[in-house]
Amino acid sequence: MRVSVLVLDGLFDSGLATVQDVLQMANELRGELPQPPPAWELTRIGSRGSVRTAAGHLIETVTAADAPPPDLLVVPGAGPKQPAPLLEWVAAPEREPERAELRRAREAGTPLAAACTSTFLLAEAGVLDGLSATTSWWLAPAFRQAYPRVELDEGNMLAHADGVVTAGAAMAHLDLALALVRRSSPALAELTARYLVVDDRPTQAGYAIPGHLARTDPVVSAFERWVRAHLDEPLRMADAARAAGVSERTLQRAVDRVMGVSPLRFAQSIRLEQAAHLLRTTDLPTDAVARRVGYENASTLTTLLRRRHGTTPGRLRG
């Protein structure tokens, strides 16, 4: 399995190292299986002879033309970590060689994989149009508005589409690399995860901070503040819209445009965030926590925590 890793100046050292380490560990563990998959052979490619990582390390590369034809092209996270400078960075003329390489790979039918900020580079190159994808949770509003042709679900740790797999925030490089191993051998992926002491993490929703996301739009921010002030009350959209100074329809459109979900689901995220905080930091019974965030009983809260965040009150109290 020939893997080309496209490295760019300013790449996240941990992202590159994680992908390399997981695939190397899988190579070393292949012999433990009665029918091992082919080994992974990694080649670092770039548009220049070397790149400098975010931590200042020099990484030697070869051009794509000098590398063996890959069975897979991986793009570790790189570039700025905040929305405005990241969008400028991926669209800069200096990135055109990498964008062109992604388009060539896509046209050739080479599977693509990217994590964190590099999902923006794939979107800017146009290779995610019409596909589902994920990215770092705090970058989701900017991604959604910049690339409306991409079906974004930032709640997922991984998103699998036709010929493309994308991953969430920086440490999701680990999930991405294990997913690549799983494509060749689920048994080897499980063994590698055990050796690395990695748990299954299907969602990044539990890490998201709703207030941070809401600040990207004044209407959504006003709605978020109103929900927090009325956590233990039923959600009345008319009251929320009036407090935000807009119509209900405008409020619904604003939340959908920025968050990609309905106002009800966004309010649910805020309530679950507060419930998780109370469960971690107080001794309140779960029923009392549920009532404080607008749910009738512990059973409803437990069901939502398990469905949305993959956890339970007991684990949060851990």
PDB file of all heavy atoms in Angstrom, residues 23 132 149 169-170 191 211 295 315:
ATOM      1  N   LEU A  23       0.760   4.137  11.219  1.00  0.00           N
ATOM      2  CA  LEU A  23       1.004   3.223  10.104  1.00  0.00           C
ATOM      3  C   LEU A  23       2.257   2.380  10.356  1.00  0.00           C
ATOM      4  O   LEU A  23       2.305   1.196   9.979  1.00  0.00           O
ATOM      5  CB  LEU A  23       1.116   3.993   8.796  1.00  0.00           C
ATOM      6  CG  LEU A  23      -0.168   4.712   8.362  1.00  0.00           C
ATOM      7  CD1 LEU A  23       0.030   5.388   7.011  1.00  0.00           C
ATOM      8  CD2 LEU A  23      -1.358   3.764   8.300  1.00  0.00           C
ATOM      9  N   SER A 132     -19.967  14.521   1.748  1.00  0.00           N
ATOM     10  CA  SER A 132     -20.026  14.797   3.185  1.00  0.00           C
ATOM     11  C   SER A 132     -18.603  14.908   3.724  1.00  0.00           C
ATOM     12  O   SER A 132     -17.681  14.255   3.228  1.00  0.00           O
ATOM     13  CB  SER A 132     -20.780  13.681   3.911  1.00  0.00           C
ATOM     14  OG  SER A 132     -20.140  12.429   3.712  1.00  0.00           O
ATOM     15  N   ARG A 149     -21.259  23.911  -1.005  1.00  0.00           N
ATOM     16  CA  ARG A 149     -21.494  22.689  -1.780  1.00  0.00           C
ATOM     17  C   ARG A 149     -21.058  21.425  -1.043  1.00  0.00           C
ATOM     18  O   ARG A 149     -21.296  20.314  -1.522  1.00  0.00           O
ATOM     19  CB  ARG A 149     -20.743  22.772  -3.112  1.00  0.00           C
ATOM     20  CG  ARG A 149     -21.256  23.868  -4.044  1.00  0.00           C
ATOM     21  CD  ARG A 149     -20.505  23.860  -5.354  1.00  0.00           C
ATOM     22  NE  ARG A 149     -20.990  24.892  -6.269  1.00  0.00           N
ATOM     23  CZ  ARG A 149     -20.515  25.115  -7.469  1.00  0.00           C
ATOM     24  NH1 ARG A 149     -19.521  24.358  -7.935  1.00  0.00           N
ATOM     25  NH2 ARG A 149     -21.003  26.079  -8.222  1.00  0.00           N
ATOM     26  N   ALA A 169     -10.693  17.791  14.607  1.00  0.00           N
ATOM     27  CA  ALA A 169      -9.587  18.602  15.114  1.00  0.00           C
ATOM     28  C   ALA A 169      -8.296  17.801  15.239  1.00  0.00           C
ATOM     29  O   ALA A 169      -8.263  16.591  15.009  1.00  0.00           O
ATOM     30  CB  ALA A 169      -9.964  19.226  16.451  1.00  0.00           C
ATOM     31  N   ALA A 170      -7.216  18.498  15.622  1.00  0.00           N
ATOM     32  CA  ALA A 170      -5.850  17.985  15.465  1.00  0.00           C
ATOM     33  C   ALA A 170      -5.654  16.541  15.923  1.00  0.00           C
ATOM     34  O   ALA A 170      -5.054  15.734  15.213  1.00  0.00           O
ATOM     35  CB  ALA A 170      -4.870  18.905  16.194  1.00  0.00           C
ATOM     36  N   LEU A 191      -6.085  -4.188  16.777  1.00  0.00           N
ATOM     37  CA  LEU A 191      -4.852  -4.549  17.476  1.00  0.00           C
ATOM     38  C   LEU A 191      -3.959  -3.318  17.662  1.00  0.00           C
ATOM     39  O   LEU A 191      -3.399  -3.090  18.741  1.00  0.00           O
ATOM     40  CB  LEU A 191      -4.112  -5.626  16.677  1.00  0.00           C
ATOM     41  CG  LEU A 191      -2.819  -6.182  17.299  1.00  0.00           C
ATOM     42  CD1 LEU A 191      -3.115  -6.866  18.629  1.00  0.00           C
ATOM     43  CD2 LEU A 191      -2.156  -7.150  16.321  1.00  0.00           C
ATOM     44  N   GLY A 211     -21.077  28.378  22.776  1.00  0.00           N
ATOM     45  CA  GLY A 211     -20.933  29.823  22.851  1.00  0.00           C
ATOM     46  C   GLY A 211     -19.878  30.353  21.902  1.00  0.00           C
ATOM     47  O   GLY A 211     -20.019  31.435  21.317  1.00  0.00           O
ATOM     48  N   TYR A 295     -35.076  19.412  31.042  1.00  0.00           N
ATOM     49  CA  TYR A 295     -35.598  18.079  30.749  1.00  0.00           C
ATOM     50  C   TYR A 295     -36.369  17.550  31.954  1.00  0.00           C
ATOM     51  O   TYR A 295     -36.051  17.861  33.105  1.00  0.00           O
ATOM     52  CB  TYR A 295     -34.465  17.129  30.370  1.00  0.00           C
ATOM     53  CG  TYR A 295     -33.746  17.569  29.118  1.00  0.00           C
ATOM     54  CD1 TYR A 295     -32.391  17.895  29.136  1.00  0.00           C
ATOM     55  CD2 TYR A 295     -34.423  17.697  27.906  1.00  0.00           C
ATOM     56  CE1 TYR A 295     -31.732  18.324  27.989  1.00  0.00           C
ATOM     57  CE2 TYR A 295     -33.786  18.133  26.755  1.00  0.00           C
ATOM     58  CZ  TYR A 295     -32.439  18.440  26.802  1.00  0.00           C
ATOM     59  OH  TYR A 295     -31.807  18.878  25.671  1.00  0.00           O
ATOM     60  N   ARG A 315     -20.398   8.238  33.511  1.00  0.00           N
ATOM     61  CA  ARG A 315     -19.065   8.459  32.981  1.00  0.00           C
ATOM     62  C   ARG A 315     -18.601   9.883  33.210  1.00  0.00           C
ATOM     63  O   ARG A 315     -17.427  10.134  33.500  1.00  0.00           O
ATOM     64  CB  ARG A 315     -19.026   8.148  31.482  1.00  0.00           C
ATOM     65  CG  ARG A 315     -19.200   6.681  31.145  1.00  0.00           C
ATOM     66  CD  ARG A 315     -19.253   6.512  29.639  1.00  0.00           C
ATOM     67  NE  ARG A 315     -19.630   5.155  29.252  1.00  0.00           N
ATOM     68  CZ  ARG A 315     -19.988   4.806  28.034  1.00  0.00           C
ATOM     69  NH1 ARG A 315     -20.020   5.744  27.066  1.00  0.00           N
ATOM     70  NH2 ARG A 315     -20.319   3.561  27.750  1.00  0.00           N
TER      71      ARG A 315
END
